[in-house]
Amino acid sequence: MDPVDALAEIAFLLERDRVIRYKSKAFRTAGDVVVGLGPEVLNDPVRLKNTKGIGDTTYKVIRQALAGEVPDYLADLRENSSVSAKSDLRAKLRGDLHAHSEWSDGTTAIELMVDSARRLGHEYLALTDHSPRLTIARGLSAERLEEQLEIVAGLDEAAGDGFRLLSGIEVDINDDGSLDQIDDLLGRLDVVVASVHSKLKMDARQMTRRMVAAASNPHTDVLGHITGRLVEGSRGTRPGAQFDAAEVFAACAANGTAVEVNSRPERQDPPDDLIAMALDAGCMFSIDSDAHAPGQLGLLDYGAERAEKNGIPAERIVTTYPVDQLLQWTNR
C-alpha cells in the first residue's frame, strides 16, 4: 500500500483512540517527509532510515508498505481499535459543528481536518477554535479570527461541490453570561458554540443565570458540553457544574438553541438524566465530536450511540440537516 496512506491511517486511528499526541504526530510528520522523498531515497534502506523525521517504527511501516504489505503496526490498530460504538443514527449525521485546529489547541492544520471530514463522508464541518479568554488553548483574538475567516472562505471555495467548511467559534461564556468575542464578528460566523470553561464550581444560582443568558443570546447556536464534567481519561475526572437544568433547557427551547451531545468519551456530556430533561423541555440537539485532531472526528460514533440509547429522534438533531437547512437554522 502507499506508505503515505498507511502513515495517515495510523495517525487517524491513534487520534481516534485518544492516544498521547506525540505518537500520532510522529506518523503525520513521517508522512509529510515521505511526500517529499524521491524513489532514490525511498528504495535505499540506509538513506531512508537516516532521513530526518523517520524513526524506527515509521521506517518499518514505510518499508512494509513499499513491499506491498499492510504494515504490522496498522494491522494491529485495525484489529484492536477501542472504538466499537454502533448505531443506526450515525448514518443519518451529515456533519459536525464542533472541531478545533492548530489555530487554537488542535494538533493539525485546518486542511487536514477538512480532508478527514470528507473521508468520513461528512457534508460539512464547522471550524470552532477557542475564543480569547481561553489563553491556555491559544484562543483567537478578534484579529486572528478575522484572519482565519479569510482562510476558511478560501478552503470552503476550494472544496467544491459536496462539502462545506463552515466558519465558527467555540466561544467562552463569561461569568455574567456574555460571550467572549465582539458581536460584529459573532454575527459573521456560520456557527457559534457557547461553552463554560472556567469557574465550574460557581454557585448554582449564578451558574444558572450565566447559562440562561448564553442560551438566550441571539448569536448562540449550540450550548457546548453543558456540565463541563470529565468522567475518564488522561486529564482525570471532575464533577460537572451545578445549575437549574429545567431553567437552562427552557431557555434553549425558547431560543432554538441546540444542546450539544458531546461525543468525547471522557465527557459523556450531558449525563443521561439531563438528556431526558432536555427532551421533555422540547430542545433541539447537536451531536458533535469536539475533535482536536483529524482522527477524533470519528468520535461521532460514540455521540450517535449515546443519543440513540437515550431516545433522541433524528428530527430533533440539527446535525442530521442538509447544509442549506442547517444554515437556515443558524441564521434564525
Side-chain angles (χ1 to χ4, degrees):
M1 64 185 301
D2 185 282
V4 175
D5 290 342
L7 292 163
E9 185 178 349
I10 288 170
F12 180 94
L13 292 174
L14 289 171
E15 291 160 352
R16 189 178 67 170
D17 287 348
R18 297 168 296 141
V19 172
I20 298 171
R21 287 184 176 192
Y22 78 85
K23 289 191 176 182
S24 59
K25 185 176 181 180
F27 288 96
R28 291 204 178 277
T29 298
D32 292 340
V33 170
V34 169
V35 168
L37 297 180
E40 70 282 0
V41 177
L42 284 174
N43 296 319
D44 184 333
V46 175
R47 292 181 67 184
L48 178 62
K49 193 163 189 176
N50 290 322
T51 299
K52 185 178 180 180
I54 306 295
D56 291 343
T57 302
T58 52
Y59 169 79
K60 184 177 179 181
V61 167
I62 295 165
R63 293 295 297 169
Q64 288 181 322
L66 289 171
E69 306 168 11
V70 175
D72 294 338
Y73 198 106
L74 176 55
D76 183 64
L77 278 177
R78 286 176 174 177
E79 184 176 351
N80 298 303
S81 175
S82 64
V83 175
S84 58
K86 302 291 183 184
S87 66
D88 293 333
L89 180 58
R90 176 64 183 88
K92 298 178 182 179
L93 300 182
R94 295 173 180 263
D96 190 339
L97 302 186
H98 187 170
H100 301 272
S101 75
E102 65 184 3
W103 280 67
S104 62
D105 61 346
T107 63
T108 67
I110 301 169
E111 291 88 341
L112 279 177
M113 298 299 288
V114 169
D115 182 63
S116 286
R118 298 191 75 156
R119 288 173 183 266
L120 286 169
H122 288 13
E123 296 175 21
Y124 50 84
L125 174 69
L127 181 67
T128 54
D129 280 314
H130 289 285
S131 63
R133 172 172 168 151
L134 206 63
T135 54
I136 194 171
R138 298 181 64 243
L140 272 63
S141 64
E143 293 74 21
R144 290 182 67 217
L145 181 56
E146 289 260 19
E147 183 183 353
Q148 188 186 78
L149 281 173
E150 293 186 18
I151 291 171
V152 167
L155 291 173
D156 178 46
E157 184 176 0
D161 295 338
F163 184 84
R164 290 291 310 277
L165 176 62
L166 305 178
S167 62
I169 192 171
E170 184 183 14
V171 63
D172 255 36
I173 301 173
N174 294 319
D175 297 357
D176 63 356
S178 62
L179 303 184
D180 179 40
Q181 191 50 273
I182 60 176
D183 279 355
D184 286 349
L185 265 179
L186 292 175
R188 290 170 55 189
L189 301 173
D190 294 318
V191 177
V192 173
V193 178
S195 306
V196 171
H197 289 103
S198 62
K199 297 188 179 179
L200 293 177
K201 295 180 180 180
M202 178 181 281
D203 172 80
R205 289 173 297 177
Q206 291 178 300
M207 183 63 80
T208 300
R209 287 195 291 269
R210 182 182 183 184
M211 295 179 70
V212 166
S216 304
N217 190 301
H219 292 303
T220 302
D221 299 308
V222 180
L223 206 57
H225 47 70
I226 190 165
T227 75
R229 72 175 187 170
L230 294 173
V231 297
E232 63 170 68
S234 60
R235 289 191 289 170
T237 62
R238 70 178 176 221
Q242 297 298 305
F243 51 86
D244 186 332
E247 193 172 339
V248 172
F249 292 144
C252 288
N255 291 278
T257 300
V259 175
E260 181 181 70
V261 176
N262 190 286
S263 297
R264 298 190 71 90
E266 67 267 33
R267 289 193 179 276
Q268 297 178 40
D269 204 359
D272 292 351
D273 61 331
L274 292 193
I275 290 178
M277 289 183 66
L279 274 169
D280 290 343
C283 294
M284 300 298 290
F285 296 84
S286 179
I287 300 175
D288 299 321
S289 68
D290 193 0
H292 288 67
Q296 292 175 6
L297 292 168
L299 295 177
L300 279 188
D301 295 354
Y302 285 119
E305 183 183 58
R306 282 199 71 224
E308 187 169 277
K309 285 181 177 178
N310 280 279
I312 304 177
E315 60 269 19
R316 297 267 293 272
I317 301 169
V318 299
T319 40
T320 66
Y321 292 173
V323 69
D324 289 343
Q325 183 182 357
L326 177 84
L327 292 174
Q328 185 178 16
W329 168 71
T330 64
N331 288 323
R332 67 197 181 285

